[in-house]
Amino acid sequence: MTTATYPFTAVVGMADMRLALLLNAVSPAVGGVLVRGEKGTAKSTAVRALATLLPPVGVVPGCRFSCDPAAPDPGCPDGPHEPGTGTARPARMVELPVGASEDRLVGALDIERALADGVKAFEPGLLADAHRGVLYVDEVNLLHDHLIDLLLDAAAMGASYVEREGVSVRHAARFLLVGTMNPEEGELRPQLLDRFGLTVEVTASRDTEERVEVVRRRLAYDEDPAGFAGRWAEDEGSLRERIAAARALLPEVVLGDRALRQIAAVCAAFEVDGMRADIVTARTATALAAWAGRTDVRTEDVRQAALLSLPHRRRRAPFDAPGLDEDKLDEVLRRFEDEEPEPPEPDGGPGSEEGDADGPDGGPDGPDDGPGGPEGGPGGGLPHDRAQEPPSPSEPEPSVPGPREGEAEAEAADDTGTPQEAGGGAGTGGGEKAAVGAAEPFRTRRLDVPGLGEGAAGRRSRARTAHGRTTGARRPRATLSSLHLTATVRAAAPHQHARGRSGPGLLVRRDDLREAVREGREGNLVLFVVDASGSMAARKRMGAIKGAVLSLLLDAYQRRDKVGLITFRGTDADLALPPTSSVDAAAARLERLPTGGRTPLAAGLLKAREVLRVERLRDPSRRPLLVVVTDGRATEARRDGTARRDATNAPVARAGQAARLLAGDGIASVVVDCESGPVRLGLAGALARELRGTPVTLDELRADRVTALVRDVRNVSTTRRAA
């Protein structure tokens, strides 16, 4: 039994998301939508409902690639097709799973038949299924990078290319690309964000009545999906007609010189890279005019288009939050207000107030005021409705001010050689200092895990991957996707006489096939264990340490790692951020990190061991890298906050025991030595030896320092040879 799709017009709120989806339905050339938002905000529901609103498509009977019978693709693998009358079918909504393989996405060639018979036997993938429909990628930020590259290249070119050892197949692949993601689980790279035409941020409503209506409708749908869909059928039909009317009107919309200048000025003012932003904004403004039933593009169209197409393109650094300063946008647009008057409002029609009030959506805000619904409709209304809504999140919150000049370090050594923290308190409350801003990040040297892994593709440690340099060949373990041609020929060559070969062709059997073994780079789990105790509380010192950790987080972002953050201070260690792909979340937690109290180093290491044990069960193939940021000193306190009166080196000894447990588990580790001042105890180096890891000072962590050292060594060697 097929369950009816939740109606698009029954979605409550989310005006920006619905408008962006509808604009792409009107004009697929806009380039798709990326919906960013917290979990449980109807992202997937709205996308799946959109496909039912798209007009039916005519296809050539029997064509696996959905060729248009009026203009069939001359290069279609199932062709050639003669132009003629086809059959109509609903537009498809194809979902790309996060764990899909490359062959499942783009299709696969039968390599055995290609080599033995010279036949291009091609099994289409999801890109072929989505042609002239919707391709939906839930959790697009969790897709492997090479799949995202293939997906976006096909979306940009309108075609998919499958290449296997010199045998190639091409087919048309034009679709409406929609991706959804939860930023808490990791960000897309800026260059990939740029490939989505529009982006919207969605959050759950805080209005009580709206939340009640969401629950009421969802419960009604779950109880009787078909009946619920039937109650919204009229509104769905009206919206479907409006989409068809806007599509028909789109070729008549004129993008005037004034609108073009506004678009160029806005894109230049926000310093977006490249020209894609200008083009997408122009296409979006044109679609907005058609959606409003007009043939001219106005200032409000440009404004709304900029709000949808620019926020994700103005990120200047990986941790910058997407957004747009609407006051600055209005200021740029005001420069053009006096150049020429706006054309008068047409009398009647879909774009007028009368037409909007009684139009196909049933009201200016769309059909959300249908059966039992409150005001605020799914069509997004006219473009100027956006100006009445609260602005979307734009700029990131200002960071905490940096350290004050001349502030003295807040630590003093006791008679055991370990510091007594500033503030006098040993617990988590006593001696706590406010969060300190991080110093300027820098490019770090690469830290990697020794050996050869088989984890998720990334850019840190050596690993066997599907992409990379070829290092050998083996029999296929599953479906052959990467042929090693030389090894295949070598395997087949000794059997040609026995197989009765008489012509020039090579007789290949399935047992002869060999797949390439490739070596590339993998992403790792980088777990940070950061000392936030009073011994690190001096503001200049903690700012430098946070800057170093932030630099390592930037490196983890670029190398596609998962990250986790453990801090220890006072009486215990805290898992500040469980392992996640969201490096942005780790940077935010680091920025708010307070300091003070004693130094339970052993507790931090034991907490790290427990976190890594759990993660090993969840993802056995992802190898961990432990990064301990400390000066190696250790002090402890009882739960009541009083100092523990143990033997002189007991806290340090317990930290050494915990380190040996981690070393016994085979955990690769790096100790970032934060010790400073004229008197150095070398405790961080001793901790690195217990961990069987690598000690690195803050200065040695900088890639520019390492590069300069190598350059100096080369210069000395060259001088000696010349002498």
Side-chain angles (χ1 to χ4, degrees):
M1 179 178 178
T2 303
T3 302
T5 303
Y6 192 93
F8 189 88
T9 50
V11 176
V12 179
M14 309 299 172
D16 281 351
M17 175 179 68
R18 291 176 297 162
L19 179 59
L21 292 171
L22 290 169
L23 291 176
N24 274 270
V26 171
S27 176
V30 166
V33 186
L34 176 64
V35 184
R36 297 162 42 93
E38 58 194 29
K39 51 188 176 291
T41 49
K43 301 187 297 292
S44 301
T45 299
V47 173
R48 293 187 178 101
L50 177 69
T52 63
L53 300 176
L54 299 179
V57 296
V59 297
V60 174
C63 178
R64 297 174 297 168
F65 301 89
S66 302
C67 280
D68 186 350
D73 180 10
C76 176
D78 284 356
H81 305 299
E82 293 295 331
T85 303
T87 59
R89 63 159 176 79
R92 288 175 179 163
M93 214 281 293
V94 177
E95 294 193 42
L96 173 61
V98 170
S101 65
E102 181 178 337
D103 286 345
R104 185 70 186 98
L105 176 63
V106 301
L109 288 171
D110 189 330
I111 302 297
E112 183 179 359
R113 291 188 62 189
L115 288 176
D117 305 328
V119 176
K120 292 183 181 179
F122 180 67
E123 183 65 28
L126 294 176
L127 291 180
D129 294 341
H131 180 46
R132 304 175 68 201
V134 179
L135 181 61
Y136 171 46
V137 189
D138 193 14
E139 308 294 353
V140 64
N141 52 322
L142 302 183
L143 273 181
H144 289 307
D145 285 350
H146 73 281
L147 291 182
I148 296 177
D149 292 336
L150 290 171
L151 176 65
L152 296 179
D153 284 344
M157 296 185 296
S160 174
Y161 295 85
V162 184
E163 303 284 346
R164 291 291 188 275
E165 302 296 338
V167 182
S168 63
V169 171
R170 174 213 166 271
H171 66 83
R174 293 183 296 276
F175 46 81
L176 168 56
L177 176 62
V178 182
T180 57
M181 59 174 283
N182 183 351
E184 294 178 357
E185 297 172 342
E187 283 285 359
L188 279 174
R189 292 175 299 175
Q191 61 268 38
L192 298 181
L193 280 172
D194 184 57
R195 300 297 289 273
F196 282 93
L198 310 179
T199 186
V200 290
E201 297 274 348
V202 295
T203 57
S205 172
R206 299 297 181 258
D207 180 74
T208 302
E209 293 302 320
E210 192 167 288
R211 294 176 73 96
V212 167
E213 187 61 29
V214 170
V215 175
R216 182 182 291 120
R217 293 188 188 184
R218 185 68 208 190
L219 293 177
Y221 170 77
D222 292 340
E223 183 178 348
D224 182 11
F228 183 83
R231 291 194 293 275
W232 291 88
E234 183 178 350
D235 294 308
E236 292 282 287
S238 298
L239 190 56
R240 193 176 293 112
E241 291 174 4
R242 184 175 177 183
I243 292 173
R247 278 192 171 190
L249 183 62
L250 186 65
E252 302 177 23
V253 176
V254 177
L255 183 66
D257 186 67
R258 181 190 184 200
L260 277 173
R261 290 180 178 275
Q262 287 177 318
I263 292 169
V266 167
C267 293
F270 285 101
E271 300 180 352
V272 296
D273 296 329
M275 296 299 298
R276 185 177 284 119
D278 302 64
I279 296 171
V280 170
T281 305
R283 289 172 175 168
T284 305
T286 303
L288 280 162
W291 179 245
R294 290 185 271 100
T295 58
D296 61 298
V297 176
R298 301 179 182 175
T299 298
E300 60 261 31
D301 300 327
V302 175
R303 185 183 191 278
Q304 178 68 79
L307 289 172
L308 294 173
S309 63
L310 297 187
H312 59 302
R313 291 188 165 90
R314 62 171 303 275
R315 292 183 64 176
R316 313 308 299 179
F319 298 152
D320 288 347
L324 208 66
D325 184 345
E326 295 192 36
D327 291 336
K328 181 177 179 179
L329 173 62
D330 292 335
E331 180 183 348
V332 174
L333 293 175
R334 273 196 296 270
R335 301 174 190 170
F336 297 86
E337 286 182 352
D338 300 329
E339 289 190 5
E340 58 181 273
E342 288 280 0
E345 287 281 348
D347 294 331
S352 67
E353 292 184 4
E354 292 82 358
D356 286 340
D358 301 319
D361 280 8
D365 290 324
D368 241 354
D369 55 348
E375 294 183 359
L382 294 181
H384 60 264
D385 289 345
R386 176 63 178 81
Q388 301 171 0
E389 298 179 3
S392 59
S394 55
E395 299 297 332
E397 294 182 2
S399 61
V400 180
R404 296 191 297 270
E405 287 295 329
E407 185 163 3
E409 287 198 353
E411 65 173 275
D414 61 13
D415 56 358
T416 64
T418 57
Q420 295 289 352
E421 285 75 20
T428 56
E432 180 174 309
K433 301 292 183 181
V436 179
E440 189 71 21
F442 51 84
R443 190 168 64 90
T444 67
R445 56 183 285 189
R446 190 179 74 207
L447 308 174
D448 54 16
V449 180
L452 191 64
E454 293 186 351
R459 300 176 182 175
R460 183 172 296 278
S461 305
R462 293 175 54 232
R464 293 188 181 92
T465 60
H467 301 271
R469 63 186 182 90
T470 302
T471 59
R474 66 186 177 194
R475 292 180 182 274
R477 297 179 177 177
T479 303
L480 179 65
S481 60
S482 179
L483 178 73
H484 194 296
L485 183 58
T486 304
T488 299
V489 172
R490 281 203 306 264
H495 308 291
Q496 298 304 296
H497 180 71
R499 292 172 182 172
R501 172 185 170 186
S502 58
L506 184 68
L507 298 181
V508 179
R509 301 287 186 263
R510 185 167 297 277
D511 289 344
D512 301 329
L513 298 178
R514 299 291 184 271
E515 68 178 0
V517 177
R518 303 183 188 278
E519 182 179 313
R521 294 278 173 180
E522 67 177 357
N524 297 110
L525 166 59
V526 182
L527 182 61
F528 294 92
V529 180
V530 180
D531 184 350
S533 66
S535 66
M536 314 288 279
R539 288 186 173 270
K540 285 186 178 180
R541 188 174 178 185
M542 197 61 202
I545 292 166
K546 282 189 176 183
V549 178
L550 183 62
S551 302
L552 290 167
L553 285 171
L554 282 166
D555 184 67
Y557 170 86
Q558 294 164 353
R559 300 190 188 281
R560 318 307 290 168
D561 294 317
K562 288 180 69 174
V563 297
L565 178 63
I566 292 173
T567 63
F568 57 93
R569 56 184 290 271
T571 61
D572 208 350
D574 175 52
L575 180 59
L577 182 71
T580 175
S581 296
S582 179
V583 182
D584 302 63
R589 302 288 173 89
L590 178 71
E591 187 69 25
R592 297 192 296 267
L593 177 65
T595 58
R598 294 188 176 270
T599 314
L601 176 56
L605 297 176
L606 292 175
K607 173 69 77 172
R609 186 175 186 236
E610 176 61 19
V611 170
L612 293 177
R613 183 189 66 81
V614 174
E615 286 300 310
R616 193 180 302 116
L617 296 175
R618 291 176 177 172
D619 190 357
S621 63
R622 189 180 288 270
R623 298 188 295 164
L625 175 63
L626 182 66
V627 180
V628 184
V629 184
T630 181
D631 57 9
R633 303 180 184 186
T635 58
E636 295 179 359
R638 296 188 181 94
R639 291 291 178 180
D640 61 4
T642 60
R644 186 189 296 273
R645 301 301 180 185
D646 284 332
T648 302
N649 293 324
V652 175
R654 276 190 284 273
Q657 292 172 359
R660 287 191 290 274
L661 289 175
L662 284 163
D665 293 339
I667 305 299
S669 60
V670 174
V671 177
V672 180
D673 185 357
C674 302
E675 193 172 28
S676 61
V679 178
R680 296 174 181 261
L681 303 179
L683 296 176
L687 178 65
R689 290 191 293 273
E690 296 285 9
L691 285 167
R692 299 178 195 166
T694 305
V696 180
T697 66
L698 289 176
D699 283 342
E700 292 171 344
L701 193 61
R702 293 178 176 269
D704 52 356
R705 301 290 175 87
V706 176
T707 304
L709 177 62
V710 172
R711 189 185 306 115
D712 291 342
V713 171
R714 287 178 176 171
N715 291 339
V716 170
S717 300
T718 303
T719 303
R720 287 178 178 174
R721 285 197 300 269

